[in-house]
Amino acid sequence: MADGERLRRFDAEDYNKEGVLRRKVYERELRRLQVELIKLQRCVKAEGRRVVILFEGRDAAGKGGVIKRIMEKSNPRIVRTVALGKPSDHERGQWYFQRYAAHLPTAGEIVLFDRSWYNRAGVERVMGFASEEEVQRFLHACPTFERLLVEDGIELYKYWFSVSEQEQERRFQARVEDPVKRWKLSPMDLKSRELWHEFSKAKDDMLRHTDTAHAPWRMVDADIKRHARLNCIADILENIPYSDHPPEKPELGPRVWAHDQEARGPLLTGKYIPARY
């Protein structure tokens, strides 16, 4: 972002009584940041750069929310999301990083990983899906893997969304009550409620091994969703260089109206779905 745009000042009336940005203020600022994201993606495409952004954190920390806001106005041919599920038997027989390496960007792409190879240091370790030997091998190899990516020209950014135990529980309860959010509560999520301390230990150990000069972690306070989304997107824009030029306005010439209804014959009106709204 341009220097004058980096720090937006908000007045007291911009926040509600709970200290959260009011919806209109939040949406206005999000819109501004999304315009900057368009500039960023155009620059990455034009310069043939490769950008990887990892989003990690506890269950219900808000990773998906910020990815959704980034993708909302983005060109899916330039910016794409990778959210891998449970590995297949074939993938379990591969080099651990192989299934993730297959999704790395080509020239002119930005890839957002909704969870990444760090599954091994977190959920796989705590849930017992990986042996301690496999975890230690990962912690030893991961900095080297990331250094190879960076040395090859990939721009790598890693964000950890930190949420308090109380806020995570509030979000879990909200998902239980809301039918359209219940799909977000997997058996793994429910199990993680019982293993808060174990996940904390795994996170601390992972950070000690993988917070490196060539691929540092950036922590996001995610207890307030609106703030976490804006803070993360603003940080991305401030740390990934791009030229501050908006898309050029295309010139639309005069429209030549066809007026071809008579030539086309009767409309198949019976084929239209019912107008329920």
Side-chain angles (χ1 to χ4, degrees):
M1 285 183 283
D3 290 341
E5 295 292 315
R6 287 178 180 169
L7 295 177
R8 277 295 172 101
R9 303 298 182 189
F10 297 102
D11 299 323
E13 58 266 25
D14 292 327
Y15 297 86
N16 62 24
K17 60 183 179 180
E18 285 81 29
V20 179
L21 277 174
R22 298 185 185 279
R23 178 169 294 278
K24 286 186 177 180
V25 178
Y26 160 74
E27 290 177 348
R28 184 173 65 243
E29 182 65 2
L30 177 62
R31 169 74 179 184
R32 184 182 75 86
L33 295 178
Q34 287 174 331
V35 170
E36 296 299 314
L37 286 171
I38 296 298
K39 298 176 187 177
L40 168 62
Q41 71 182 31
R42 290 179 69 252
C43 188
V44 168
K45 178 67 175 178
E47 296 175 2
R49 292 155 57 190
R50 293 171 293 161
V51 177
V52 171
I53 309 177
L54 309 186
F55 297 88
E56 295 285 348
R58 296 182 186 271
D59 296 318
K63 303 177 295 297
V66 72
I67 291 172
K68 178 181 178 181
R69 273 68 187 183
I70 292 172
M71 292 298 302
E72 206 167 36
K73 306 297 182 183
S74 294
N75 184 342
R77 296 182 180 86
I78 301 174
V79 187
R80 58 183 172 90
T81 302
V82 174
L84 301 184
K86 181 181 177 182
S88 65
D89 291 339
H90 177 73
E91 289 171 328
R92 278 194 289 269
Q94 297 175 340
W95 174 51
Y96 177 72
F97 294 98
Q98 189 169 341
R99 71 192 293 248
Y100 297 101
H103 297 276
L104 292 172
T106 188
E109 275 192 335
I110 300 173
V111 174
L112 314 177
F113 277 89
D114 185 354
R115 294 196 184 278
S116 65
W117 45 86
Y118 282 100
N119 278 338
R120 173 132 298 178
V123 65
E124 291 185 19
R125 182 180 198 178
V126 175
M127 296 297 185
F129 300 145
S131 68
E132 191 57 28
E133 180 184 354
E134 288 173 323
V135 172
Q136 293 305 318
R137 189 184 307 133
F138 168 83
L139 293 174
H140 174 74
C142 184
T144 301
F145 173 68
E146 292 177 348
R147 178 172 54 79
L148 291 173
L149 297 183
V150 172
E151 288 178 350
D152 196 58
I154 289 178
E155 300 171 48
L156 177 61
Y157 301 87
K158 306 188 304 190
Y159 286 91
W160 180 274
F161 281 66
S162 183
V163 65
S164 67
E165 190 171 5
Q166 295 76 14
E167 179 60 21
Q168 184 194 58
E169 179 63 15
R170 190 194 67 78
R171 293 178 187 178
F172 279 165
Q173 294 293 343
R175 290 178 179 183
V176 169
E177 297 301 323
D178 190 341
V180 301
K181 292 183 178 180
R182 285 177 193 159
W183 65 269
K184 295 183 176 183
L185 274 179
S186 68
M188 300 290 289
D189 294 332
L190 298 176
K191 184 66 176 176
S192 72
R193 291 177 71 235
E194 307 169 16
L195 299 170
W196 177 273
H197 182 62
E198 287 78 1
F199 271 101
S200 295
K201 289 169 58 180
K203 167 198 168 185
D204 293 343
D205 195 29
M206 179 270 292
L207 291 175
R208 280 193 295 269
H209 283 84
T210 61
D211 183 33
T212 60
H214 58 269
W217 280 100
R218 305 184 71 80
M219 313 299 287
V220 181
D221 183 345
D223 266 9
I224 301 176
K225 288 182 178 181
R226 293 178 190 174
H227 298 185
R229 293 165 187 167
L230 297 180
N231 286 330
C232 184
I233 295 173
D235 195 77
I236 288 170
L237 292 167
E238 195 152 318
N239 283 279
I240 304 180
Y242 67 97
S243 56
D244 190 32
H245 300 296
E248 295 181 3
K249 292 182 179 179
E251 297 240 354
L252 293 178
R255 178 79 180 238
V256 179
W257 298 97
H259 301 294
D260 62 349
Q261 191 54 59
E262 293 183 7
R264 290 170 61 194
L267 294 174
L268 296 175
T269 54
K271 297 295 183 180
Y272 282 85
I273 65 171
R276 297 180 174 89
Y277 304 99

